[in-house]
Amino acid sequence: MKSRRLFAITCLVPAVLVVTAFFVIPAVMLLFIGAGKGPDGEAGLWRYLAVLTTERYRSAMVSTVILSLLVTAVTLVIGGISGVFLARNRFAGRGILVACLTFPLAFPGVVVGFMVIMLAGRLGLIASISVALGGDRLVFAYSMAGLFLGYLYFSIPRVLLTVMGVAEKLDGRLIEAARSLGAGPWAVQRDIVLPALAPAFVAAGSICFATSMGAFGTAFTLATRIDVLPMVIYQEFTESANIAMAAALSVMLGLVAWLILALARLNGGSSVAAAG
Amino acid sequence: MTAGVSIELKGIAKTYAGGVQALKPTDLAVARGETLVFLGPSGCGKTTCLRLIAGLEMPDPNGSLSFDGEDVTRTEIEDRNVGMVFQSYALFPNMSVAENIGYGLKVRKIAPAERDRRVREMLALCGIEALSERAIDQLSGGQRQRVALARAVAIRPRVLLLDEPLTALDAALRERLRGELDQLLRSLGITSIYVTHDQAEAMALGDRIVVMRQGAIAQIGAPRDIYFRPASRFVAEFVGAANVLSGEVRDGSLHLEGGKLALAGTGVGHDRSLMVMLRPESIRLIAPDQAVWRGRISAVSFLGDRQRVTVTGAAAQPVTVEPGNDLELAIGDLVGLDPAPGSLVVIPKETDSA
């Protein structure tokens, strides 16, 4: 008995060490810094509320959450449909297509940002086409729309792979049974396929949302005009040297992301990766 | 309740991509209200045949399939109005028992009140009223089988298609449910197609049995025909234990190693050699001095309700006999073998390729 308990404790040591060193200690420090003295010489918990009271922080938080929710929703639609299709159909070039679709997993946010500029920047593809068609130069890379595009691009593979994994395991007999009972293609998707994929959607959507909340590289590449919360934190940290404010905003960003993931977990079963 | 339809297959065949012909061109007629069983080893084409009738597979061009004279060859399964029961049951895990049974009625847009009434009727018919609100993962195998059947019957299908519905259950339960299923199919009077590899199940449930082999029909007939008058060695051996014996014909008798068998009444003409089949239970063991066909017992297994005795020296291969449980037998005994009158079946040569 005793040696068995010792064994179990020994097995936990690496995890406990890593979590303590790289999560617990920094998080606690962040909490203290956020409440500590700032450049204005004032200390206090008011900074945590600044995200609600100060217009600039509040609008950054709101737009970050809305952007992340929007990216998650659109990614789920695109990734979900493609994932189910790719899982259920075999055709020439399928392997190459899947490889292309999952390619963005390997790109850092900076590269994704650069690709958005090439597509929708001042000298980008869309701008050239819109000019060639006699219209105005269409440029939206350096705005929320550009950011949305970039986030969408690197979120799709995560959803696609999760949905494909679950869809491939879906029992084909269930669909045959539903069809024999008179269900057409839409009814089969609504009543059989979607409910079976719901846990995968919640899991993939959560990862997608959390990534979008914290993504920085793409926003940084696309210019500083975009006020998403990670950019604001960076600016507080570097330009204003307001480390206390940056820490407080970081804590609030983590808290909001965690809260929304916890809600998803409550409503969608147990397979959500991020929220405990 | 519903009488179902008659089914007619004309030249229905199925070739899969890659050139494998799972079903050779097949003609078959199923009468209204009949229970037809497809019996055969795995890969014989029986499941393909069922899936073609269901509409889950499309046949090769030129074949035609009709329900009561209406051509349904190219009709999608969702418009064929067929009930299906799968081996794995394929119950929807996101719905309760009642929702599963009512699903076909829901997609048919039948009003909730009428739907409830028919679901309750099905629950009662299958003896599962108490399970109505249960989740699927809370059901035992036998309960799942009943729900799957109730769900298929609830839509009042034109044909009920059952793909090895009892195979996943243990032996005792299988036998009990087989009895229930038989009663249910007869009381509904619905046209049913049943696929199985279990010959006892086929005998018990089928009005007629279609024995299949290598994508073609080997024989069609009532259970008794198939059992007592097999058309080939394959059918003889697949539908039950069989002694297949070969010997020379002289003076109206078949001469074997341990004696001879009278061929009177078998309609055999002038063949010089012959293959015949005898079921183990149709051979009586008698005193050797009264017999014209003898052998020596080499093995005895007491099975409770009967015994299985292996006799060597009677024919080229050991002969299996299943006498009653009251005979005292010992290995090494010399015994006489006496086939029951009319039990000798001549197996045509041309169909023997086993």
Side-chain angles (χ1 to χ4, degrees):
Chain A
M1 263 325 269
K2 212 168 193 179
S3 73
R4 189 165 295 197
R5 180 173 293 178
L6 186 70
F7 175 75
I9 291 170
T10 314
C11 287
L12 272 176
V13 166
V16 169
L17 276 181
V18 169
V19 168
T20 310
F22 298 108
F23 178 68
V24 177
I25 295 174
V28 170
M29 280 180 69
L30 213 56
L31 275 171
F32 277 111
I33 293 170
K37 266 186 192 169
D40 46 11
E42 280 184 65
L45 287 168
W46 59 270
R47 260 189 224 98
Y48 288 108
L49 293 175
V51 77
L52 297 177
T53 52
T54 310
E55 164 60 23
R56 180 165 167 248
Y57 304 144
R58 188 176 62 223
S59 75
M61 176 63 93
V62 168
S63 52
T64 308
V65 169
I66 289 175
L67 176 69
S68 302
L69 287 176
L70 214 61
V71 166
T72 306
V74 176
T75 308
L76 284 180
V77 172
I78 296 175
I81 293 171
S82 335
V84 172
F85 178 81
L86 287 169
R88 303 204 68 83
N89 293 283
R90 293 286 178 275
F91 50 88
R94 178 182 175 274
I96 295 167
L97 185 61
V98 172
C100 285
L101 284 167
T102 52
F103 218 48
L105 279 180
F107 292 154
V110 180
V111 176
V112 173
F114 191 57
M115 290 168 90
V116 172
I117 291 174
M118 301 224 286
L119 180 73
R122 278 176 203 97
L123 299 171
L125 192 65
I126 293 176
S128 315
I129 292 173
S130 63
V131 169
L133 289 174
D136 289 335
R137 184 170 287 270
L138 197 58
V139 175
F140 56 85
Y142 317 101
S143 64
M144 275 295 179
L147 205 56
F148 173 78
L149 217 61
Y151 286 7
L152 197 62
Y153 181 63
F154 70 64
S155 294
I156 283 174
R158 297 166 210 275
V159 172
L160 193 72
L161 290 178
T162 314
V163 170
M164 272 175 74
V166 177
E168 264 162 20
K169 277 186 266 165
L170 181 67
D171 182 5
R173 297 272 184 263
L174 290 178
I175 292 168
E176 293 183 348
R179 292 184 63 202
S180 77
L181 293 168
W186 294 107
V188 167
Q189 296 304 314
R190 185 191 62 219
D191 300 330
I192 312 301
V193 177
L194 276 181
L197 295 181
F201 277 139
V202 175
S206 301
I207 291 177
C208 180
F209 176 79
T211 316
S212 304
M213 282 293 284
F216 174 72
T218 311
F220 190 67
T221 314
L222 289 181
T224 43
R225 246 174 49 200
I226 309 169
D227 269 342
V228 287
L229 205 54
M231 284 300 293
V232 173
I233 294 171
Y234 172 78
Q235 285 158 2
E236 288 296 327
F237 191 71
T238 54
E239 288 160 27
S240 321
N242 193 343
I243 295 172
M245 197 64 229
L249 288 176
S250 302
V251 170
M252 292 312 283
L253 175 68
L255 201 68
V256 170
W258 178 83
L259 206 70
I260 291 175
L261 292 183
L263 278 175
R265 190 188 167 95
L266 271 179
N267 292 318
S270 55
S271 50
V272 176
Chain B
M1 194 162 84
T2 44
V5 293
S6 61
I7 305 171
E8 193 169 17
L9 282 73
K10 276 190 197 147
I12 289 280
K14 179 68 187 177
T15 311
Y16 284 108
V20 181
Q21 195 171 33
L23 187 70
K24 294 176 182 141
T26 299
D27 296 319
L28 185 67
V30 187
R32 193 175 291 198
E34 183 182 20
T35 300
L36 188 77
V37 179
F38 283 107
L39 175 68
S42 60
C44 70
K46 58 187 193 294
T47 297
T48 302
C49 214
L50 182 92
R51 291 174 65 84
L52 285 165
I53 296 171
L56 288 170
E57 307 276 0
M58 284 296 153
D60 296 348
N62 301 327
S64 82
L65 172 71
S66 57
F67 289 173
D68 263 351
E70 174 200 339
D71 186 14
V72 293
T73 317
R74 299 288 151 192
T75 309
E76 295 284 343
I77 180 171
E78 47 264 43
D79 302 319
R80 277 194 196 185
N81 198 16
V82 293
M84 281 206 83
V85 179
F86 294 89
Q87 185 180 343
S88 59
Y89 314 132
L91 298 174
F92 308 132
N94 52 312
M95 301 179 200
S96 70
V97 167
E99 284 167 340
N100 262 277
I101 297 172
Y103 183 70
L105 305 174
K106 195 175 135 197
V107 293
R108 278 173 172 68
K109 307 221 167 12
I110 287 171
E114 167 70 1
R115 200 158 79 206
D116 277 358
R117 197 186 61 73
R118 273 167 70 175
V119 168
R120 274 201 306 277
E121 188 184 303
M122 282 302 133
L123 288 165
L125 188 70
C126 296
I128 46 175
E129 294 101 319
L131 306 177
S132 158
E133 295 312 311
R134 290 264 190 99
I136 298 308
D137 56 11
Q138 295 172 325
L139 302 179
S140 69
Q143 290 168 339
R144 281 172 203 225
Q145 202 277 329
R146 288 187 176 99
V147 176
L149 188 67
R151 183 180 68 179
V153 174
I155 59 169
R156 295 182 180 159
R158 296 198 279 182
V159 188
L160 186 60
L161 302 162
L162 306 110
D163 187 7
E164 309 226 9
L166 302 177
T167 305
L169 305 169
D170 61 70
L173 187 60
R174 192 157 64 218
E175 203 141 314
R176 207 178 79 218
L177 284 179
R178 193 172 75 198
E180 286 181 19
L181 192 60
D182 189 36
Q183 277 197 329
L184 187 73
L185 293 182
R186 301 216 176 273
S187 68
L188 292 173
I190 192 172
T191 312
S192 309
I193 310 259
Y194 192 105
V195 163
T196 184
H197 64 270
D198 181 329
Q199 44 95 9
E201 218 168 279
M203 301 273 169
L205 290 169
D207 293 319
R208 283 192 303 157
I209 296 174
V210 180
V211 184
M212 299 207 53
R213 183 190 188 202
Q214 292 170 357
I217 294 175
Q219 190 174 357
I220 307 180
R224 282 167 196 279
D225 294 337
I226 299 279
Y227 189 76
F228 291 121
R229 296 279 172 267
S232 66
R233 180 175 188 166
F234 170 78
V235 174
E237 291 180 332
F238 195 79
V239 299
N243 293 300
V244 176
L245 315 166
S246 304
E248 297 284 316
V249 178
R250 284 197 306 272
D251 317 322
S253 291
L254 180 70
H255 288 257
L256 299 162
E257 278 71 0
K260 57 184 182 178
L261 289 170
L263 289 170
T266 53
V268 177
H270 309 290
D271 305 86
R272 278 203 265 153
S273 68
L274 202 60
M275 185 179 280
V276 298
M277 189 277 293
L278 273 173
R279 295 283 178 206
E281 71 279 8
S282 63
I283 304 172
R284 212 157 52 94
L285 291 183
I286 56 174
D289 53 349
Q290 292 170 0
V292 290
W293 187 31
R294 296 182 200 86
R296 207 170 277 283
I297 293 178
S298 64
V300 180
S301 325
F302 182 74
L303 303 173
D305 57 339
R306 67 210 141 91
Q307 328 185 48
R308 182 169 298 143
V309 179
T310 309
V311 178
T312 48
Q317 295 92 30
V319 173
T320 304
V321 184
E322 289 189 352
N325 53 11
D326 51 347
L327 274 179
E328 291 272 352
L329 300 164
I331 290 172
D333 284 357
L334 189 66
V335 287
L337 301 164
D338 180 28
S343 63
L344 195 70
V345 179
V346 174
I347 292 178
K349 274 197 192 108
E350 60 276 9
T351 54
D352 172 56
S353 51

